[in-house]
Amino acid sequence: MAETVARQLNDACRLRARATARISKGRRVDLVTALRKQKPDKSQYRRPAKIEALLQTLEGLSRAEFLARAQIRARDDAKFIPSECLIYFVRVSRADNSDAWFERLYKILSARVLRALPTADAADGASRSLTRERIREKVYGRFVEMLAGDRQVYDERLDFFEIRFDMALKRLRQDAQRQAWRDENRSQPLTYEGDSGELSPEIERASGSTNPFEAMEIDDEAFRLRLDAAIEALPSEQSRTIQMLMLEYQIHSEDPNVITICTVLKKTPKTIWNYRDRAMKTLRSVLIEGDDQ
């Protein structure tokens, strides 16, 4: 009982302090911390207006109310807290005198991240993909590493998570996929198809899609936005091919149960390789050669 009363008093004091802080000489003081990351033109990154407005609203909740809402999983629930807001409160908790609040929020956020990542289990549930498992571990590990570092020194890489969390997580996944492909293909010997002297479909796929965006400034947020827009502008078949490659789909597989780009687009491996090559030629022209002019 005493602990409950003390917690209620602490929440009440905190809310009164916030209400007082909002007013300074008759003017409202914005409590939401601005992002620090800058664009190439030196302007600061900004959260979407609806996220900023929701942060102001959430600042007025007691911690018990906030935790209850943070645990809601259904995005269509009116009380659902977007991950852009949740990570904001995880980050600003560095100002607390203890790690207790951070740990409670971190547990909820990390669970969301893990649910968003593909599992290593195969579709039949009887086997596991080592590549998918490595990708999952790399993404989660890098996210946790950035959050831990941000507790000590502000990490601007996390700013984009407060703007578009799902896209930022998707990019971590894409980076992990490319690294996993490189690791896997370094140890795979070249094999040839029958007596034709041509590389097998698996090696042809690997050699052309291990890292299709190498030499591009893939870690730059502004560049990644341009890349996404350029992929969307490609002809439909080329765009879908690149998008599926980035999501770790194989172009071709001898296993009929494996979903591949060929089966989805109903095209031969050679056609898909042509789509891929033409798409990459266009992307390099638009994003790299265009910058040199």
Side-chain angles (χ1 to χ4, degrees):
M1 180 66 180
E3 292 181 357
T4 300
V5 172
R7 184 170 60 253
Q8 291 174 341
L9 287 174
N10 286 336
D11 284 341
C13 291
R14 182 167 52 83
L15 291 175
R16 282 197 298 271
R18 286 178 173 174
T20 301
R22 285 191 174 96
I23 302 175
S24 176
K25 296 181 179 180
R27 294 179 298 175
R28 178 184 176 85
V29 177
D30 190 359
L31 291 180
V32 176
T33 305
L35 299 175
R36 299 185 189 179
K37 187 174 178 63
Q38 293 184 336
K39 300 177 183 179
D41 63 2
K42 302 303 181 181
S43 62
Q44 284 184 299
Y45 275 74
R46 293 182 179 275
R47 306 178 189 89
K50 64 179 181 180
I51 295 298
E52 287 281 354
L54 183 54
L55 287 174
Q56 295 285 355
T57 299
L58 295 173
E59 281 279 9
L61 298 181
S62 68
R63 290 190 168 180
E65 292 172 321
F66 187 94
L67 281 176
R69 290 185 57 170
Q71 296 181 71
I72 296 174
R73 296 188 182 184
R75 297 195 179 203
D76 58 353
D77 191 306
K79 293 187 177 182
F80 174 78
I81 296 179
S83 296
E84 290 85 353
C85 295
L86 184 54
I87 192 173
Y88 166 82
F89 284 97
V90 169
R91 298 181 75 189
V92 298
S93 69
R94 72 171 74 86
D96 286 4
N97 292 327
S98 73
D99 292 332
W101 182 235
F102 164 79
E103 290 171 358
R104 300 184 76 174
L105 297 182
Y106 168 75
K107 182 178 180 180
I108 298 173
L109 181 62
S110 61
R112 286 192 184 186
V113 171
L114 289 173
R115 287 196 299 270
L117 296 176
T119 64
D121 295 327
D124 58 9
S127 59
R128 292 176 66 83
S129 166
L130 293 179
T131 299
R132 287 181 180 273
E133 187 169 8
R134 283 197 296 269
I135 292 171
R136 182 179 174 89
E137 291 174 353
K138 286 178 181 292
V139 174
Y140 185 69
R142 186 174 182 188
F143 181 75
V144 170
E145 181 183 351
M146 287 193 293
L147 272 185
D150 190 68
R151 295 283 292 169
Q152 306 300 321
V153 180
Y154 190 96
D155 191 336
E156 293 184 351
R157 293 177 298 176
L158 288 173
D159 283 5
F160 193 64
F161 283 84
E162 295 190 35
I163 299 173
R164 295 186 65 181
F165 189 92
D166 289 344
M167 178 175 286
L169 190 62
K170 175 184 176 182
R171 289 174 177 174
L172 279 188
R173 178 184 170 187
Q174 291 169 349
D175 292 341
Q177 286 171 346
R178 283 188 288 274
Q179 181 62 53
W181 286 336
R182 285 196 296 269
D183 294 343
E184 182 176 356
N185 291 316
R186 283 194 188 102
S187 60
Q188 185 174 5
L190 292 178
T191 59
Y192 292 87
E193 191 75 6
D195 299 326
S196 66
E198 296 182 356
L199 288 173
S200 66
E202 287 76 10
I203 298 300
E204 181 73 23
R205 169 188 63 79
S207 64
S209 64
T210 300
N211 187 359
F213 303 105
E214 193 159 9
M216 293 186 181
E217 302 171 39
I218 205 70
D219 292 327
D220 182 78
E221 295 292 353
F223 182 85
R224 293 291 287 262
L225 291 173
R226 292 175 56 208
L227 173 61
D228 290 341
I231 292 174
E232 291 292 336
L234 291 169
S236 176
E237 294 85 355
Q238 295 180 27
S239 178
R240 293 184 68 185
T241 296
I242 294 299
Q243 290 173 355
M244 293 185 73
L245 283 173
M246 296 174 73
L247 292 175
E248 203 190 354
Y249 283 92
Q250 297 181 27
I251 288 180
H252 171 79
S253 175
E254 297 298 331
D255 185 348
N257 295 318
V258 174
I259 298 177
T260 67
I261 302 177
C262 286
T263 57
V264 171
L265 299 186
K266 298 179 180 179
K267 302 292 183 181
T268 65
K270 183 176 181 180
T271 299
I272 299 301
W273 293 330
N274 286 334
Y275 288 157
R276 177 202 62 197
D277 294 343
R278 292 172 186 170
M280 290 308 302
K281 182 178 180 180
T282 299
L283 292 175
R284 290 191 183 98
S285 176
V286 172
L287 299 172
I288 298 180
E289 295 174 12
D291 287 342
D292 294 336
Q293 295 178 357

